């Protein structure tokens, strides 16, 4: 418990602009060995202190692997969160199968975080996720609107790079947009009585990319 409090203070010091590099290794240890609350603080500190090329991040790989296989929902969520924020590019193949597996998890929060992790992988190592494009399509049709919304980040990126490869999905994007405008999404997605405005903007951007220079 004392280490957790000290780690929060180290985070605060760094926020104020003071270097607290002496605490980085302790953040790793807290994420590895602490209780659920301590692990959460450790993971938070790691995501704030380190970058993807930091040498200490390699020490966290085995912990992430272990937490992704945990039966504890909170531990899985924490691991997926840190993976979607930062992870060594060279170590992606080690955890990719586990992240893929989470796309079929019964809990929607796990599926959503898995999609965001795969989006991060696509940004830093697109060749390593080429084989799971069909699973992205499954996420687009997920019954949970949060998972579907997360998948749009991936599609917006892929369509921007190669729009001709996804024109067959235009009808799906239009159908989703109709559902959004028709108020079919939960009230949580509304903003000042406007149905999911950011989602509407995302869908319109995707459709504009698909329809560019294509009259049909």
């Amino acid at each position: 418990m004392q280490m957790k409090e000290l780690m929060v203070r180290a985070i605060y010091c760094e926020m104020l602009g003071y270097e607290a590099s002496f605490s980085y290794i302790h953040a790793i240890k807290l994420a590895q060995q602490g209780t659920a609350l301590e692990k959460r603080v450790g993971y938070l500190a790691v995501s704030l202190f380190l970058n993807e090329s930091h040498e200490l991040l390699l020490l966290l790989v085995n912990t992430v692997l272990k937490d992704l296989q945990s039966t504890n929902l909170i531990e899985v969520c924490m691991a997926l969160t840190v993976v979607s924020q930062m992870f060594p590019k060279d170590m992606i193949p080690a955890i990719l199968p586990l992240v893929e597996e989470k796309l079929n998890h019964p809990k929607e929060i796990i599926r959503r975080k898995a999609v965001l992790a795969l989006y991060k992988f696509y940004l830093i190592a697109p060749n390593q996720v080429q084989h799971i494009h069909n699973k992205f399509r499954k996420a687009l049709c997920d019954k949970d609107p949060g998972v579907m919304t997360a998948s749009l980040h991936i599609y917006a990126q892929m369509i921007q790079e190669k729009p001709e490869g996804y024109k067959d999905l235009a009808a799906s994007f239009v159908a989703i947009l109709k559902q959004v405008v028709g108020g079919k999404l939960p009230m949580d997605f509304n903003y000042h009585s406007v149905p999911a405005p950011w989602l509407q903007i995302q869908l319109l951007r995707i459709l504009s990319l698909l329809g560019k220079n294509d009259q049909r």
Side-chain angles (χ1 to χ4, degrees):
M1 187 61 71
Q2 185 180 14
M3 182 57 74
K4 176 178 71 68
E5 294 299 327
L6 292 172
M7 193 55 58
V8 171
R9 296 185 185 195
I11 292 173
Y12 186 56
C13 288
E14 290 252 337
M15 288 170 62
L16 292 175
Y18 299 102
E19 185 183 353
S21 57
F22 62 88
S23 65
Y24 295 177
I25 187 64
H26 298 291
I28 296 279
K29 290 179 179 179
L30 204 60
Q32 289 174 334
Q33 303 166 356
T35 63
L37 183 57
E38 290 171 342
K39 283 175 72 71
R40 176 176 258 173
V41 173
Y43 269 128
L44 174 63
V46 167
S47 65
L48 293 173
F49 290 160
L50 309 184
N51 56 52
E52 289 164 1
S53 59
H54 200 287
E55 57 187 11
L56 283 179
L57 199 58
L58 291 172
L59 299 177
L60 199 65
V61 172
N62 286 335
T63 303
V64 170
L65 278 167
K66 179 171 66 73
D67 287 343
L68 283 175
Q69 298 174 78
S70 172
T71 55
N72 187 317
L73 193 69
I74 296 174
E75 290 183 349
V76 177
C77 282
M78 288 190 290
L80 286 172
T81 298
V82 79
V83 163
S84 65
Q85 293 174 344
M86 53 187 297
F87 201 75
K89 181 178 178 181
D90 296 340
M91 298 305 296
I92 288 176
I95 66 162
L96 184 56
L98 291 172
V99 177
E100 282 184 59
E101 186 182 292
K102 297 298 180 285
L103 292 174
N104 298 317
H105 199 278
K107 288 291 185 180
E108 58 275 2
I109 187 171
I110 298 294
R111 299 198 302 275
R112 182 163 70 247
K113 287 181 177 293
V115 170
L116 292 174
L118 290 171
Y119 172 55
K120 176 66 174 181
F121 293 169
Y122 182 82
L123 291 178
I124 63 176
N127 293 335
Q128 301 199 34
V129 295
Q130 291 290 345
H131 65 290
I132 54 175
H133 281 195
N134 61 320
K135 294 185 178 180
F136 294 157
R137 296 193 178 218
K138 185 178 179 181
L140 184 66
C141 302
D142 195 280
K143 61 183 179 181
D144 181 75
V147 179
M148 176 272 294
T149 302
S151 72
L152 291 180
H153 293 296
I154 298 175
Y155 276 108
Q157 188 70 31
M158 294 191 300
I159 290 170
Q160 189 171 3
E161 295 167 3
K162 189 181 177 183
E164 61 275 7
Y166 304 94
K167 289 186 183 290
D168 61 313
L169 289 173
S172 297
F173 292 126
V174 170
I176 294 170
L177 184 57
K178 285 181 177 179
Q179 290 179 33
V180 175
V181 175
K184 300 294 177 61
L185 266 60
M187 293 292 291
D188 293 345
F189 284 79
N190 291 0
Y191 182 77
H192 287 265
S193 301
V194 179
W198 315 122
L199 181 53
Q200 288 192 51
I201 292 170
Q202 180 84 298
L203 287 162
L204 289 170
R205 283 176 175 163
I206 287 173
L207 289 169
S208 70
L209 290 169
L210 289 174
K212 186 177 181 180
N213 300 322
D214 187 337
Q215 189 62 39
R216 184 180 64 80

